[in-house]
Amino acid sequence: AQSVTQLGSHVSVSEGALVLLRCNYSSSVPPYLFWYVQYPNQGLQLLLKYTTGATLVKGINGFEAEFKKSETSFHLTKPSAHMSDAAEYFCAAPNFGNEKLTFGTGTRLTIIP
Amino acid sequence: DSGVTQTPKHLITATGQRVTLRCSPRSGDLSVYWYQQSLDQGLQFLIQYYNGEERAKGNILERFSAQQFPDLHSELNLSSLELGDSALYFCASSATGPVITGELFFGEGSRLTVL
């Protein structure tokens, strides 16, 4: 079954520094990959979505993710962290029937002033 | 605002009790997904409904049941509650269901505390 693994349950970066959140998918290339963000006391919202054929995907709030088939990875980056980026981030992929999304365990991002 | 409405936002109840969580999807969305979020289990998919029919089932306990009504709102029923059922329950809807090709829109969740 398709699954995603997020390395690092907590990541701290200084304001203005590069943000790198890691996600690896488990098996054959999924047709879609997603990054969602959850701000405190809120539901999840979509940051960006990968579709087959893309390599670099741009999302909202300056985030982007690079799909690397050779590394089965879909890491999320942002060149310069802002205090408002503090949140929990989830990588997700659909199962093979595309009828449900499987989420990673999440990475809590803390921004140090 | 995602357009998905969940009620109640908070619920405190005792072990052995039964509760119902309600979800109104975005206007026009036929698919509804239920997820459970807890500290130890993370985000777990429970069940999907599409236009009133169950389409996919995940790690949903037998004590839990759900349905989607003709007006497309959905309810998640949790019975014989245990302490371990304390969690945040999310509902999401999608315009591209029943297969996922696009964004899921999440409500703000219903936080259930079982004492």
Side-chain angles (χ1 to χ4, degrees), chain A:
Chain A
Q2 182 66 264
S3 67
V4 290
T5 301
Q6 292 185 242
L7 296 176
S9 57
H10 290 86
V11 170
S12 296
V13 302
S14 298
E15 191 175 13
L18 171 73
V19 175
L20 171 61
L21 305 182
R22 300 177 188 273
C23 172
N24 289 85
Y25 59 90
S26 66
S27 55
S28 59
V29 176
Y32 308 98
L33 281 167
F34 303 87
W35 275 101
Y36 280 81
V37 61
Q38 184 180 22
Y39 297 104
N41 300 315
Q42 293 187 28
L44 283 74
Q45 66 182 81
L46 183 68
L47 266 182
L48 51 81
K49 166 190 164 184
Y50 158 84
T51 54
T52 303
T55 51
L56 188 63
V57 181
K58 293 190 183 299
I60 62 171
N61 301 335
F63 283 93
E64 59 185 34
E66 186 174 6
F67 177 78
K68 289 188 177 180
K69 185 178 177 180
S70 60
E71 298 177 7
T72 63
S73 69
F74 188 56
H75 300 334
L76 182 71
T77 60
K78 181 174 180 177
S80 177
H82 191 272
M83 295 301 294
S84 61
D85 296 326
E88 188 147 21
Y89 293 79
F90 294 90
C91 182
N95 67 327
F96 289 117
N98 282 4
E99 290 179 325
K100 64 176 182 179
L101 267 188
T102 298
F103 286 86
T105 50
T107 299
R108 184 169 299 278
L109 177 64
T110 300
I111 310 298
I112 304 166

Side-chain angles (χ1 to χ4, degrees), chain B residues 7-8 11 13 17-23 34 65-67 69 73-79 81 110 112:
Chain B
T7 57
L11 193 53
T13 188
Q17 295 298 304
R18 171 190 171 94
V19 298
T20 297
L21 310 180
R22 181 187 169 104
C23 169
W34 285 97
S65 65
Q67 55 184 323
F69 295 86
H73 91 272
S74 178
E75 292 180 358
L76 179 66
N77 300 296
L78 316 175
S79 62
L81 286 168
S110 292
L112 173 65

Side-chain angles (χ1 to χ4, degrees), chain B residues 64-93:
Chain B
F64 295 1
S65 65
Q67 55 184 323
Q68 186 179 29
F69 295 86
D71 67 354
L72 301 178
H73 91 272
S74 178
E75 292 180 358
L76 179 66
N77 300 296
L78 316 175
S79 62
S80 302
L81 286 168
E82 302 175 359
L83 296 178
D85 298 328
S86 296
L88 194 51
Y89 292 84
F90 283 110
C91 169
S93 73

